Amino acid sequence: MNPPDVLNLIPQPATVEPRATPPFQIGAGTAIVVSTPDEHAARIARQLAQLIGRATGVVPKVLSAADSAPAIVLGLGPVESSGSYDLTIAQDAVRLTAPDPAGLFYGVQTLRQLLPYWSEYEAVMFQQPRPATLAAVHIRDAPRYQWRGAMLDVARHFFPVEDVKRFVDLLALHKMNRLHLHLADDQGWRIEIKKWPALTATGGRSAVGGGAGGFYTQAQYADIQAYAADRFITIVPEIDMPGHTNAMLSSYAELNCNGQTPPPFTGTEVGFSAMCVDIDFTYLFIDDVVKEIAAMTKGPYFHIGGDEVKTLTPAKYRAFVERVQTIVQAHGKQMIGWDEVAAATLLPTSIVQHWRPDAAHGELGHAPHLILSPGNRTYLDMKYDRDTALGLSWAGLIPVKTAYDWDPATLVPEAPAAAVLGVEAPLWSETVANMRDAEFLAMPRLAAIAELGWSPARPHDWESFRVRLGALGPRWSALGINFYRTPEVSWK
Ligand code: TNX
């Protein structure tokens, strides 16, 4: 069992000090007081009011000043770093203070996990009012890493906007803050580019296994970003190049060295496609694509893929990466690439995403910045065990313990600590046709990566995580999450 000083929270907060004093009773008269004019704070307070409404049957009023106790008070004030928060639950009041709205949001996610699990059922708010209590505690919390991400491969199988929003909700609940969308690959192109309409009209109409495909209009992309931004999640767009490009090559003949469009690809092999890197047209095209995506993207990043190019010489590959890096920079974004790009000369702003367990550590050690997605730990598309129906196994089987039990600080010993931005869990969708499948592979391993990204390096304890996961199960069930009930955990 967990010691009593470990509440059943994931990710585990930096410090939790339970108090022996009586709990805070949330009742019909409880108000939420926002003691700052910040508009984000008011929105976060309304989100909290909805959550409490489902727990108690009464949606608390959101006020700008306290009229009477008891109250839940949200304020902005000096606490350490961005995203940190200080939460005190006492008999007379709940006080949540953070240096920025993100910290308030994370504090509310903690409160959410402290409310009874059944408050996640939508229908309970229509029942009779009922009291809920929050045990007295003082929590001081701050994220370990600034990059706490997941990737959704919407290229192999397309996920409609509603699915992406649901995935965003899963990230937010576990205090993650980056959603990387793999928007183009051999099997499909998923983002509207006004200047090159065949990318979606042709390239958008395929998927693994011959599915219907699909794509996001620019308006839908904006909608996804706004939804994510409300939850302090930055969207990271990826257009994979120069390999993994059959969908674009089949849309425009000019991108092919032989001037001919290949047929759409619905298989799962990799490494066969490549843009024609010797012609200027290729770079004019890339410039157009990066320009439109950069203009519609609020976050500072643009991911160029760069993985698994088997048809170019190393010199040609490096030259391609360096030229595209210049284009990305010209459009005001920071370049990200899979770890193969570490072979090129990178700008100080560029980011390498480590994925191959056997990638050259010397090169990674020189990367200006690193995101850690080691395939044998973080790949959500790997099978849990031999019997897992979905998923691949090229990087090994990944039970939850394997996903959890490693330290981002020591994975690449050659990399200076400051270079490591954080962790990201990719969900490739060759074997995943819809959100139900995606949730089965993502949960609970996504929560393991969330904790690695958020919680302090020590204590890092699988036994504690396992027990807290078991306790989170009923909440995930109430949310309708199709998680894998791994035998590693005793689910409540
Ligand atoms: C490798 S990870 C790939 C993807 C596949 C994935 C399947 C990476 C940069 N490339 O194209 O979908 O394996 O696990």
Side-chain angles (χ1 to χ4, degrees):
M1 269 312 288
N2 272 2
D5 64 339
V6 181
L7 297 170
N8 287 317
L9 295 167
I10 292 182
Q12 175 68 36
T15 67
V16 176
E17 295 159 13
R19 296 189 166 166
T21 50
F24 180 79
Q25 306 274 355
I26 310 175
T30 305
I32 299 177
V33 176
V34 187
S35 69
T36 152
D38 187 276
E39 64 190 60
H40 296 288
R43 179 172 50 75
I44 294 161
R46 289 192 296 273
Q47 291 171 349
L48 177 61
Q50 293 305 316
L51 294 169
I52 290 177
R54 291 212 294 263
T56 64
V58 181
V59 179
K61 284 198 195 114
V62 176
L63 308 171
S64 55
D67 51 358
S68 64
I72 300 176
V73 184
L74 272 52
L76 293 176
V79 196
E80 310 103 74
S81 50
S82 169
S84 65
Y85 65 91
D86 189 307
L87 174 65
T88 308
I89 302 175
Q91 188 175 15
D92 64 325
V94 173
R95 287 197 175 70
L96 173 60
T97 309
D100 56 8
L104 285 182
F105 181 78
Y106 298 132
V108 165
Q109 301 318 303
T110 295
L111 277 172
R112 178 177 189 169
Q113 289 191 13
L114 294 175
L115 289 168
Y117 78 88
W118 41 257
S119 22
E120 303 292 356
Y121 287 108
E122 299 267 338
V124 295
M125 69 185 291
F126 301 111
Q127 297 169 7
Q128 290 303 304
R130 77 203 80 82
T133 59
L134 292 167
V137 69
H138 181 205
I139 295 177
R140 274 178 299 123
D141 202 4
R144 179 180 182 193
Y145 288 111
Q146 58 172 284
W147 193 288
R148 304 179 302 279
M151 189 208 79
L152 190 59
D153 171 8
V154 297
R156 270 53 177 271
H157 278 99
F158 181 64
F159 290 76
V161 172
E162 289 314 307
D163 285 351
V164 177
K165 289 183 176 174
R166 189 171 160 86
F167 200 63
V168 163
D169 287 340
L170 290 185
L171 302 191
L173 181 60
H174 304 94
K175 302 187 175 82
M176 300 181 94
N177 66 352
R178 300 280 187 273
L179 175 59
H180 166 183
L181 292 175
H182 185 73
L183 291 167
D185 209 301
D186 290 319
Q187 297 87 346
W189 182 285
R190 308 300 181 205
I191 182 75
E192 177 188 23
I193 302 295
K194 302 240 185 227
K195 182 137 184 214
W196 299 99
L199 288 171
T200 44
T202 303
R205 287 219 184 105
S206 45
V208 164
F215 66 91
Y216 310 117
T217 64
Q218 295 199 355
Q220 287 175 320
Y221 183 76
D223 180 35
I224 290 170
Q225 283 190 102
Y227 188 87
D230 276 356
R231 289 152 185 80
F232 297 89
I233 291 171
T234 302
I235 299 294
V236 180
E238 177 188 354
I239 299 295
D240 206 343
M241 56 183 128
H244 288 273
T245 40
N246 193 77
M248 66 165 96
L249 300 177
S250 69
S251 305
Y252 288 102
E254 309 92 295
L255 291 170
N256 297 271
C257 279
N258 67 2
Q260 297 194 351
T261 52
F265 180 69
T266 59
T268 57
E269 297 84 58
V270 297
F272 62 90
S273 57
M275 303 177 83
C276 194
V277 300
D278 300 325
I279 55 175
D280 282 339
F281 175 77
T282 293
Y283 301 93
L284 297 173
F285 171 86
I286 292 172
D287 189 77
D288 288 340
V289 168
V290 174
K291 180 180 179 186
E292 282 195 36
I293 295 179
M296 65 173 123
T297 297
K298 290 183 181 164
Y301 315 107
F302 187 97
H303 199 309
I304 68 155
D307 56 313
E308 297 180 311
V309 186
K310 297 182 182 159
T311 59
L312 295 181
T313 63
K316 280 198 175 186
Y317 173 79
R318 284 197 303 270
F320 175 87
V321 169
E322 287 160 20
R323 193 158 168 187
V324 175
Q325 178 176 244
T326 309
I327 294 173
V328 170
Q329 196 198 33
H331 292 293
K333 300 295 177 187
Q334 261 175 281
M335 187 189 81
I336 310 178
W338 296 106
D339 61 32
E340 287 93 330
V341 305
T345 302
L346 298 178
L347 292 166
T349 49
S350 291
I351 302 170
V352 174
Q353 183 165 12
H354 173 36
W355 70 280
R356 294 171 302 171
D358 58 355
H361 274 201
E363 278 178 5
L364 294 180
H366 292 123
H369 305 280
L370 273 175
I371 299 166
L372 302 178
S373 303
N376 54 358
R377 300 283 191 179
T378 68
Y379 268 36
L380 301 176
D381 67 317
M382 293 300 119
K383 292 175 184 291
Y384 292 95
D385 53 50
R386 252 176 304 151
D387 299 329
T388 313
L390 303 175
L392 304 173
S393 54
W394 67 262
L397 302 169
I398 308 187
V400 181
K401 184 173 194 289
T402 302
Y404 182 76
D405 246 347
W406 59 286
D407 183 359
T410 55
L411 185 77
V412 183
E414 295 83 354
V420 177
L421 300 180
V423 289
E424 184 176 301
L427 179 44
W428 301 98
S429 62
E430 286 97 330
T431 69
V432 178
N434 52 40
M435 208 50 207
R436 199 161 39 102
D437 298 354
E439 286 175 7
F440 180 81
L441 287 177
M443 308 297 280
R445 291 179 294 196
L446 186 72
I449 303 306
E451 178 147 315
L452 279 171
W454 181 281
S455 304
R458 267 174 276 290
H460 176 87
D461 178 22
W462 161 248
E463 271 310 310
S464 155
F465 183 70
R466 206 173 70 84
V467 173
R468 286 179 285 119
L469 255 190
L472 204 53
R475 183 174 305 274
W476 287 355
S477 294
L479 287 165
I481 298 170
N482 181 33
F483 63 98
Y484 172 52
R485 285 158 177 82
T486 172
E488 301 163 88
V489 168
S490 331
W491 298 99
K492 281 209 181 139

